[in-house]
Amino acid sequence: DTGVSQNPRHKITKRGQNVTFRCDPISEHNRLYWYRQTLGQGPEFLTYFQNEAQLEKSRLLSDRFSAERPKGSFSTLEIQRTEQGDSAMYLCASRGQDNQPQHFGDGTRLSIL
Amino acid sequence: GEDVEQSLFLSVREGDSSVINCTYTDSSSTYLYWYKQEPGAGLQLLTYIFSNMDMKQDQRLTVLLNKKDKHLSLRIADTQTGDSAIYFCAEMTQAGTALIFGKGTTLSVSS
């Protein structure tokens, strides 16, 4: 069990640029989640995959955000035309069966200049 | 809607017990969780409790659940300086997909 892996750990970009983050879940975990955490807050749910199917999206996920999990393994989260308000920690989590908890990666910290 | 509330700060001396409290709104939550976050890191799962249990103990950690009052607590015995971190309480959404987190309790342990 190598844990949930996220890359990059840090991303600094200029406003208006596109960014893409990657998440590799714990192997054999078929459920994958993305959360966003801003300073002083708890994580907020963005979206959820079961295998390759995106089953739920939060209203926080504006049309500038898109997430994929093409083969049911790793996932990517893309933000287009980044804005200052997108600065946050983006966390990925994965889970196996229904009665198992979500395990989190170390996150990608996004800073918008 | 679902909501989770926690006190924001707790300060204790090394060796004392720490008790972090949480209230939640969704009475249908099947599992409730405690996560720990150190600076610049992701969330580390500490423990979780199934809703039909009143208590769960795991080494220095004791979780108490009062379903009637929708109150969850985490007790850390013999608190160490390495326990200094932010502790998050979380409940599962009604749909059984996402976690709803509180704002976190910052635990400060002084020697």
PDB file of all heavy atoms in Angstrom, chain A residues 13-41:
ATOM      1  N   THR A  13       1.282  29.711 -10.835  1.00  0.00           N
ATOM      2  CA  THR A  13       0.988  30.089 -12.198  1.00  0.00           C
ATOM      3  C   THR A  13       0.378  31.491 -12.239  1.00  0.00           C
ATOM      4  O   THR A  13      -0.084  32.006 -11.221  1.00  0.00           O
ATOM      5  CB  THR A  13       0.042  29.066 -12.857  1.00  0.00           C
ATOM      6  OG1 THR A  13      -0.006  29.303 -14.262  1.00  0.00           O
ATOM      7  CG2 THR A  13      -1.363  29.171 -12.292  1.00  0.00           C
ATOM      8  N   LYS A  14       0.382  32.068 -13.419  1.00  0.00           N
ATOM      9  CA  LYS A  14      -0.217  33.393 -13.579  1.00  0.00           C
ATOM     10  C   LYS A  14      -1.710  33.258 -13.836  1.00  0.00           C
ATOM     11  O   LYS A  14      -2.167  32.271 -14.459  1.00  0.00           O
ATOM     12  CB  LYS A  14       0.434  34.129 -14.744  1.00  0.00           C
ATOM     13  CG  LYS A  14       1.883  34.493 -14.501  1.00  0.00           C
ATOM     14  CD  LYS A  14       2.437  35.258 -15.683  1.00  0.00           C
ATOM     15  CE  LYS A  14       3.888  35.651 -15.445  1.00  0.00           C
ATOM     16  NZ  LYS A  14       4.455  36.381 -16.591  1.00  0.00           N
ATOM     17  N   ARG A  15      -2.428  34.251 -13.401  1.00  0.00           N
ATOM     18  CA  ARG A  15      -3.872  34.289 -13.638  1.00  0.00           C
ATOM     19  C   ARG A  15      -4.161  34.143 -15.131  1.00  0.00           C
ATOM     20  O   ARG A  15      -3.486  34.755 -15.962  1.00  0.00           O
ATOM     21  CB  ARG A  15      -4.423  35.620 -13.122  1.00  0.00           C
ATOM     22  CG  ARG A  15      -5.935  35.766 -13.190  1.00  0.00           C
ATOM     23  CD  ARG A  15      -6.388  36.949 -12.346  1.00  0.00           C
ATOM     24  NE  ARG A  15      -5.657  38.168 -12.656  1.00  0.00           N
ATOM     25  CZ  ARG A  15      -6.056  39.076 -13.533  1.00  0.00           C
ATOM     26  NH1 ARG A  15      -7.163  38.892 -14.222  1.00  0.00           N
ATOM     27  NH2 ARG A  15      -5.341  40.166 -13.742  1.00  0.00           N
ATOM     28  N   GLY A  16      -5.145  33.319 -15.446  1.00  0.00           N
ATOM     29  CA  GLY A  16      -5.525  33.118 -16.843  1.00  0.00           C
ATOM     30  C   GLY A  16      -4.921  31.872 -17.483  1.00  0.00           C
ATOM     31  O   GLY A  16      -5.378  31.446 -18.549  1.00  0.00           O
ATOM     32  N   GLN A  17      -3.910  31.294 -16.830  1.00  0.00           N
ATOM     33  CA  GLN A  17      -3.285  30.092 -17.365  1.00  0.00           C
ATOM     34  C   GLN A  17      -4.118  28.869 -16.997  1.00  0.00           C
ATOM     35  O   GLN A  17      -4.930  28.889 -16.072  1.00  0.00           O
ATOM     36  CB  GLN A  17      -1.869  29.928 -16.815  1.00  0.00           C
ATOM     37  CG  GLN A  17      -0.934  31.051 -17.214  1.00  0.00           C
ATOM     38  CD  GLN A  17      -0.696  31.069 -18.712  1.00  0.00           C
ATOM     39  OE1 GLN A  17      -0.267  30.077 -19.283  1.00  0.00           O
ATOM     40  NE2 GLN A  17      -0.970  32.201 -19.344  1.00  0.00           N
ATOM     41  N   ASN A  18      -3.875  27.776 -17.723  1.00  0.00           N
ATOM     42  CA  ASN A  18      -4.515  26.488 -17.411  1.00  0.00           C
ATOM     43  C   ASN A  18      -3.544  25.644 -16.590  1.00  0.00           C
ATOM     44  O   ASN A  18      -2.328  25.699 -16.804  1.00  0.00           O
ATOM     45  CB  ASN A  18      -4.872  25.738 -18.694  1.00  0.00           C
ATOM     46  CG  ASN A  18      -5.849  26.498 -19.566  1.00  0.00           C
ATOM     47  OD1 ASN A  18      -6.520  27.421 -19.110  1.00  0.00           O
ATOM     48  ND2 ASN A  18      -5.909  26.123 -20.833  1.00  0.00           N
ATOM     49  N   VAL A  19      -4.097  24.871 -15.657  1.00  0.00           N
ATOM     50  CA  VAL A  19      -3.265  23.964 -14.865  1.00  0.00           C
ATOM     51  C   VAL A  19      -3.929  22.600 -14.806  1.00  0.00           C
ATOM     52  O   VAL A  19      -5.158  22.479 -14.895  1.00  0.00           O
ATOM     53  CB  VAL A  19      -3.054  24.483 -13.419  1.00  0.00           C
ATOM     54  CG1 VAL A  19      -2.219  25.758 -13.419  1.00  0.00           C
ATOM     55  CG2 VAL A  19      -4.367  24.695 -12.696  1.00  0.00           C
ATOM     56  N   THR A  20      -3.094  21.572 -14.651  1.00  0.00           N
ATOM     57  CA  THR A  20      -3.600  20.191 -14.535  1.00  0.00           C
ATOM     58  C   THR A  20      -2.875  19.497 -13.403  1.00  0.00           C
ATOM     59  O   THR A  20      -1.652  19.574 -13.300  1.00  0.00           O
ATOM     60  CB  THR A  20      -3.387  19.410 -15.841  1.00  0.00           C
ATOM     61  OG1 THR A  20      -4.071  20.066 -16.900  1.00  0.00           O
ATOM     62  CG2 THR A  20      -3.934  17.991 -15.703  1.00  0.00           C
ATOM     63  N   PHE A  21      -3.666  18.825 -12.561  1.00  0.00           N
ATOM     64  CA  PHE A  21      -3.117  18.063 -11.443  1.00  0.00           C
ATOM     65  C   PHE A  21      -3.413  16.584 -11.661  1.00  0.00           C
ATOM     66  O   PHE A  21      -4.439  16.236 -12.238  1.00  0.00           O
ATOM     67  CB  PHE A  21      -3.752  18.484 -10.110  1.00  0.00           C
ATOM     68  CG  PHE A  21      -3.791  19.962  -9.879  1.00  0.00           C
ATOM     69  CD1 PHE A  21      -4.923  20.561  -9.336  1.00  0.00           C
ATOM     70  CD2 PHE A  21      -2.715  20.774 -10.208  1.00  0.00           C
ATOM     71  CE1 PHE A  21      -4.979  21.917  -9.122  1.00  0.00           C
ATOM     72  CE2 PHE A  21      -2.754  22.134  -9.989  1.00  0.00           C
ATOM     73  CZ  PHE A  21      -3.903  22.705  -9.445  1.00  0.00           C
ATOM     74  N   ARG A  22      -2.530  15.750 -11.095  1.00  0.00           N
ATOM     75  CA  ARG A  22      -2.729  14.318 -11.237  1.00  0.00           C
ATOM     76  C   ARG A  22      -2.864  13.661  -9.878  1.00  0.00           C
ATOM     77  O   ARG A  22      -2.219  14.065  -8.915  1.00  0.00           O
ATOM     78  CB  ARG A  22      -1.555  13.702 -11.977  1.00  0.00           C
ATOM     79  CG  ARG A  22      -1.631  12.179 -12.114  1.00  0.00           C
ATOM     80  CD  ARG A  22      -0.467  11.611 -12.865  1.00  0.00           C
ATOM     81  NE  ARG A  22      -0.428  10.156 -12.752  1.00  0.00           N
ATOM     82  CZ  ARG A  22      -0.419   9.324 -13.790  1.00  0.00           C
ATOM     83  NH1 ARG A  22      -0.436   9.797 -15.026  1.00  0.00           N
ATOM     84  NH2 ARG A  22      -0.379   8.018 -13.598  1.00  0.00           N
ATOM     85  N   CYS A  23      -3.687  12.629  -9.805  1.00  0.00           N
ATOM     86  CA  CYS A  23      -3.857  11.836  -8.590  1.00  0.00           C
ATOM     87  C   CYS A  23      -3.771  10.354  -8.948  1.00  0.00           C
ATOM     88  O   CYS A  23      -4.487   9.876  -9.827  1.00  0.00           O
ATOM     89  CB  CYS A  23      -5.217  12.128  -7.947  1.00  0.00           C
ATOM     90  SG  CYS A  23      -5.614  11.018  -6.570  1.00  0.00           S
ATOM     91  N   ASP A  24      -2.901   9.641  -8.237  1.00  0.00           N
ATOM     92  CA  ASP A  24      -2.836   8.181  -8.349  1.00  0.00           C
ATOM     93  C   ASP A  24      -3.383   7.589  -7.064  1.00  0.00           C
ATOM     94  O   ASP A  24      -2.764   7.749  -5.999  1.00  0.00           O
ATOM     95  CB  ASP A  24      -1.399   7.725  -8.592  1.00  0.00           C
ATOM     96  CG  ASP A  24      -0.917   8.043  -9.987  1.00  0.00           C
ATOM     97  OD1 ASP A  24      -0.379   9.153 -10.204  1.00  0.00           O
ATOM     98  OD2 ASP A  24      -1.124   7.193 -10.868  1.00  0.00           O
ATOM     99  N   PRO A  25      -4.513   6.921  -7.116  1.00  0.00           N
ATOM    100  CA  PRO A  25      -5.125   6.391  -5.893  1.00  0.00           C
ATOM    101  C   PRO A  25      -4.394   5.149  -5.395  1.00  0.00           C
ATOM    102  O   PRO A  25      -3.501   4.628  -6.061  1.00  0.00           O
ATOM    103  CB  PRO A  25      -6.536   6.026  -6.357  1.00  0.00           C
ATOM    104  CG  PRO A  25      -6.352   5.659  -7.796  1.00  0.00           C
ATOM    105  CD  PRO A  25      -5.280   6.582  -8.311  1.00  0.00           C
ATOM    106  N   ILE A  26      -4.790   4.680  -4.234  1.00  0.00           N
ATOM    107  CA  ILE A  26      -4.293   3.399  -3.732  1.00  0.00           C
ATOM    108  C   ILE A  26      -4.763   2.327  -4.724  1.00  0.00           C
ATOM    109  O   ILE A  26      -5.930   2.343  -5.158  1.00  0.00           O
ATOM    110  CB  ILE A  26      -4.824   3.134  -2.317  1.00  0.00           C
ATOM    111  CG1 ILE A  26      -4.203   4.156  -1.349  1.00  0.00           C
ATOM    112  CG2 ILE A  26      -4.537   1.710  -1.880  1.00  0.00           C
ATOM    113  CD1 ILE A  26      -4.801   4.153   0.036  1.00  0.00           C
ATOM    114  N   SER A  27      -3.856   1.441  -5.074  1.00  0.00           N
ATOM    115  CA  SER A  27      -4.196   0.435  -6.090  1.00  0.00           C
ATOM    116  C   SER A  27      -5.405  -0.381  -5.636  1.00  0.00           C
ATOM    117  O   SER A  27      -5.562  -0.676  -4.462  1.00  0.00           O
ATOM    118  CB  SER A  27      -3.005  -0.475  -6.354  1.00  0.00           C
ATOM    119  OG  SER A  27      -2.610  -1.109  -5.167  1.00  0.00           O
ATOM    120  N   GLU A  28      -6.259  -0.681  -6.565  1.00  0.00           N
ATOM    121  CA  GLU A  28      -7.490  -1.456  -6.351  1.00  0.00           C
ATOM    122  C   GLU A  28      -8.603  -0.665  -5.664  1.00  0.00           C
ATOM    123  O   GLU A  28      -9.665  -1.213  -5.402  1.00  0.00           O
ATOM    124  CB  GLU A  28      -7.219  -2.747  -5.562  1.00  0.00           C
ATOM    125  CG  GLU A  28      -6.286  -3.673  -6.307  1.00  0.00           C
ATOM    126  CD  GLU A  28      -5.943  -4.925  -5.522  1.00  0.00           C
ATOM    127  OE1 GLU A  28      -6.444  -5.072  -4.377  1.00  0.00           O
ATOM    128  OE2 GLU A  28      -5.199  -5.750  -6.041  1.00  0.00           O
ATOM    129  N   HIS A  29      -8.362   0.606  -5.340  1.00  0.00           N
ATOM    130  CA  HIS A  29      -9.457   1.448  -4.864  1.00  0.00           C
ATOM    131  C   HIS A  29     -10.238   1.915  -6.082  1.00  0.00           C
ATOM    132  O   HIS A  29      -9.702   2.606  -6.941  1.00  0.00           O
ATOM    133  CB  HIS A  29      -8.930   2.662  -4.091  1.00  0.00           C
ATOM    134  CG  HIS A  29      -8.626   2.379  -2.671  1.00  0.00           C
ATOM    135  ND1 HIS A  29      -8.339   3.369  -1.758  1.00  0.00           N
ATOM    136  CD2 HIS A  29      -8.578   1.223  -1.981  1.00  0.00           C
ATOM    137  CE1 HIS A  29      -8.132   2.829  -0.568  1.00  0.00           C
ATOM    138  NE2 HIS A  29      -8.260   1.522  -0.683  1.00  0.00           N
ATOM    139  N   ASN A  30     -11.527   1.594  -6.137  1.00  0.00           N
ATOM    140  CA  ASN A  30     -12.277   1.962  -7.326  1.00  0.00           C
ATOM    141  C   ASN A  30     -12.952   3.333  -7.182  1.00  0.00           C
ATOM    142  O   ASN A  30     -13.496   3.853  -8.151  1.00  0.00           O
ATOM    143  CB  ASN A  30     -13.318   0.892  -7.666  1.00  0.00           C
ATOM    144  CG  ASN A  30     -14.347   0.718  -6.558  1.00  0.00           C
ATOM    145  OD1 ASN A  30     -14.137   1.126  -5.422  1.00  0.00           O
ATOM    146  ND2 ASN A  30     -15.473   0.113  -6.893  1.00  0.00           N
ATOM    147  N   ARG A  31     -12.914   3.926  -5.995  1.00  0.00           N
ATOM    148  CA  ARG A  31     -13.580   5.224  -5.793  1.00  0.00           C
ATOM    149  C   ARG A  31     -12.538   6.310  -5.550  1.00  0.00           C
ATOM    150  O   ARG A  31     -11.598   6.118  -4.780  1.00  0.00           O
ATOM    151  CB  ARG A  31     -14.531   5.143  -4.606  1.00  0.00           C
ATOM    152  CG  ARG A  31     -15.578   4.071  -4.818  1.00  0.00           C
ATOM    153  CD  ARG A  31     -16.344   3.785  -3.577  1.00  0.00           C
ATOM    154  NE  ARG A  31     -16.956   2.457  -3.693  1.00  0.00           N
ATOM    155  CZ  ARG A  31     -18.072   2.124  -3.081  1.00  0.00           C
ATOM    156  NH1 ARG A  31     -18.705   2.996  -2.330  1.00  0.00           N
ATOM    157  NH2 ARG A  31     -18.551   0.910  -3.227  1.00  0.00           N
ATOM    158  N   LEU A  32     -12.739   7.422  -6.232  1.00  0.00           N
ATOM    159  CA  LEU A  32     -11.765   8.507  -6.168  1.00  0.00           C
ATOM    160  C   LEU A  32     -12.510   9.815  -6.012  1.00  0.00           C
ATOM    161  O   LEU A  32     -13.550  10.045  -6.648  1.00  0.00           O
ATOM    162  CB  LEU A  32     -10.902   8.510  -7.439  1.00  0.00           C
ATOM    163  CG  LEU A  32      -9.726   9.479  -7.487  1.00  0.00           C
ATOM    164  CD1 LEU A  32      -8.561   8.867  -8.263  1.00  0.00           C
ATOM    165  CD2 LEU A  32     -10.119  10.809  -8.071  1.00  0.00           C
ATOM    166  N   TYR A  33     -11.954  10.697  -5.167  1.00  0.00           N
ATOM    167  CA  TYR A  33     -12.610  11.958  -4.812  1.00  0.00           C
ATOM    168  C   TYR A  33     -11.623  13.111  -4.953  1.00  0.00           C
ATOM    169  O   TYR A  33     -10.435  12.959  -4.652  1.00  0.00           O
ATOM    170  CB  TYR A  33     -13.081  11.927  -3.351  1.00  0.00           C
ATOM    171  CG  TYR A  33     -13.911  10.729  -2.974  1.00  0.00           C
ATOM    172  CD1 TYR A  33     -13.322   9.497  -2.733  1.00  0.00           C
ATOM    173  CD2 TYR A  33     -15.299  10.828  -2.856  1.00  0.00           C
ATOM    174  CE1 TYR A  33     -14.085   8.398  -2.386  1.00  0.00           C
ATOM    175  CE2 TYR A  33     -16.065   9.735  -2.504  1.00  0.00           C
ATOM    176  CZ  TYR A  33     -15.448   8.525  -2.265  1.00  0.00           C
ATOM    177  OH  TYR A  33     -16.212   7.435  -1.922  1.00  0.00           O
ATOM    178  N   TRP A  34     -12.129  14.260  -5.349  1.00  0.00           N
ATOM    179  CA  TRP A  34     -11.356  15.502  -5.325  1.00  0.00           C
ATOM    180  C   TRP A  34     -12.039  16.469  -4.358  1.00  0.00           C
ATOM    181  O   TRP A  34     -13.268  16.615  -4.355  1.00  0.00           O
ATOM    182  CB  TRP A  34     -11.292  16.152  -6.705  1.00  0.00           C
ATOM    183  CG  TRP A  34     -10.367  15.479  -7.673  1.00  0.00           C
ATOM    184  CD1 TRP A  34     -10.701  14.589  -8.650  1.00  0.00           C
ATOM    185  CD2 TRP A  34      -8.954  15.670  -7.785  1.00  0.00           C
ATOM    186  NE1 TRP A  34      -9.587  14.214  -9.351  1.00  0.00           N
ATOM    187  CE2 TRP A  34      -8.497  14.857  -8.847  1.00  0.00           C
ATOM    188  CE3 TRP A  34      -8.022  16.450  -7.099  1.00  0.00           C
ATOM    189  CZ2 TRP A  34      -7.156  14.803  -9.229  1.00  0.00           C
ATOM    190  CZ3 TRP A  34      -6.694  16.394  -7.472  1.00  0.00           C
ATOM    191  CH2 TRP A  34      -6.270  15.582  -8.537  1.00  0.00           C
ATOM    192  N   TYR A  35     -11.184  17.133  -3.566  1.00  0.00           N
ATOM    193  CA  TYR A  35     -11.638  18.160  -2.621  1.00  0.00           C
ATOM    194  C   TYR A  35     -10.770  19.403  -2.803  1.00  0.00           C
ATOM    195  O   TYR A  35      -9.632  19.320  -3.252  1.00  0.00           O
ATOM    196  CB  TYR A  35     -11.490  17.702  -1.170  1.00  0.00           C
ATOM    197  CG  TYR A  35     -12.385  16.563  -0.747  1.00  0.00           C
ATOM    198  CD1 TYR A  35     -12.067  15.238  -1.054  1.00  0.00           C
ATOM    199  CD2 TYR A  35     -13.556  16.812  -0.025  1.00  0.00           C
ATOM    200  CE1 TYR A  35     -12.889  14.200  -0.661  1.00  0.00           C
ATOM    201  CE2 TYR A  35     -14.383  15.772   0.391  1.00  0.00           C
ATOM    202  CZ  TYR A  35     -14.043  14.470   0.070  1.00  0.00           C
ATOM    203  OH  TYR A  35     -14.865  13.447   0.468  1.00  0.00           O
ATOM    204  N   ARG A  36     -11.309  20.545  -2.378  1.00  0.00           N
ATOM    205  CA  ARG A  36     -10.543  21.783  -2.360  1.00  0.00           C
ATOM    206  C   ARG A  36     -10.541  22.301  -0.931  1.00  0.00           C
ATOM    207  O   ARG A  36     -11.579  22.289  -0.248  1.00  0.00           O
ATOM    208  CB  ARG A  36     -11.187  22.830  -3.280  1.00  0.00           C
ATOM    209  CG  ARG A  36     -10.428  24.132  -3.363  1.00  0.00           C
ATOM    210  CD  ARG A  36     -11.127  25.118  -4.257  1.00  0.00           C
ATOM    211  NE  ARG A  36     -12.346  25.639  -3.650  1.00  0.00           N
ATOM    212  CZ  ARG A  36     -13.162  26.483  -4.266  1.00  0.00           C
ATOM    213  NH1 ARG A  36     -12.909  26.868  -5.517  1.00  0.00           N
ATOM    214  NH2 ARG A  36     -14.242  26.921  -3.660  1.00  0.00           N
ATOM    215  N   GLN A  37      -9.360  22.768  -0.486  1.00  0.00           N
ATOM    216  CA  GLN A  37      -9.248  23.306   0.867  1.00  0.00           C
ATOM    217  C   GLN A  37      -8.607  24.689   0.815  1.00  0.00           C
ATOM    218  O   GLN A  37      -7.484  24.836   0.341  1.00  0.00           O
ATOM    219  CB  GLN A  37      -8.406  22.381   1.754  1.00  0.00           C
ATOM    220  CG  GLN A  37      -8.336  22.824   3.206  1.00  0.00           C
ATOM    221  CD  GLN A  37      -7.490  21.905   4.059  1.00  0.00           C
ATOM    222  OE1 GLN A  37      -6.624  21.188   3.567  1.00  0.00           O
ATOM    223  NE2 GLN A  37      -7.739  21.919   5.371  1.00  0.00           N
ATOM    224  N   THR A  38      -9.329  25.686   1.292  1.00  0.00           N
ATOM    225  CA  THR A  38      -8.773  27.035   1.395  1.00  0.00           C
ATOM    226  C   THR A  38      -8.330  27.284   2.832  1.00  0.00           C
ATOM    227  O   THR A  38      -8.711  26.544   3.752  1.00  0.00           O
ATOM    228  CB  THR A  38      -9.795  28.096   0.954  1.00  0.00           C
ATOM    229  OG1 THR A  38     -11.012  27.894   1.687  1.00  0.00           O
ATOM    230  CG2 THR A  38     -10.079  27.989  -0.537  1.00  0.00           C
ATOM    231  N   LEU A  39      -7.545  28.336   3.010  1.00  0.00           N
ATOM    232  CA  LEU A  39      -6.915  28.597   4.299  1.00  0.00           C
ATOM    233  C   LEU A  39      -7.945  28.741   5.415  1.00  0.00           C
ATOM    234  O   LEU A  39      -8.919  29.484   5.278  1.00  0.00           O
ATOM    235  CB  LEU A  39      -6.087  29.880   4.190  1.00  0.00           C
ATOM    236  CG  LEU A  39      -4.975  30.048   5.226  1.00  0.00           C
ATOM    237  CD1 LEU A  39      -3.974  28.919   5.118  1.00  0.00           C
ATOM    238  CD2 LEU A  39      -4.291  31.392   5.037  1.00  0.00           C
ATOM    239  N   GLY A  40      -7.763  28.001   6.483  1.00  0.00           N
ATOM    240  CA  GLY A  40      -8.644  28.114   7.638  1.00  0.00           C
ATOM    241  C   GLY A  40      -9.954  27.360   7.520  1.00  0.00           C
ATOM    242  O   GLY A  40     -10.826  27.482   8.382  1.00  0.00           O
ATOM    243  N   GLN A  41     -10.094  26.591   6.448  1.00  0.00           N
ATOM    244  CA  GLN A  41     -11.330  25.842   6.223  1.00  0.00           C
ATOM    245  C   GLN A  41     -11.046  24.354   6.141  1.00  0.00           C
ATOM    246  O   GLN A  41      -9.912  23.926   5.922  1.00  0.00           O
ATOM    247  CB  GLN A  41     -11.985  26.288   4.914  1.00  0.00           C
ATOM    248  CG  GLN A  41     -12.301  27.764   4.844  1.00  0.00           C
ATOM    249  CD  GLN A  41     -13.329  28.191   5.856  1.00  0.00           C
ATOM    250  OE1 GLN A  41     -14.344  27.523   6.063  1.00  0.00           O
ATOM    251  NE2 GLN A  41     -13.093  29.327   6.508  1.00  0.00           N
TER     252      GLN A  41
END
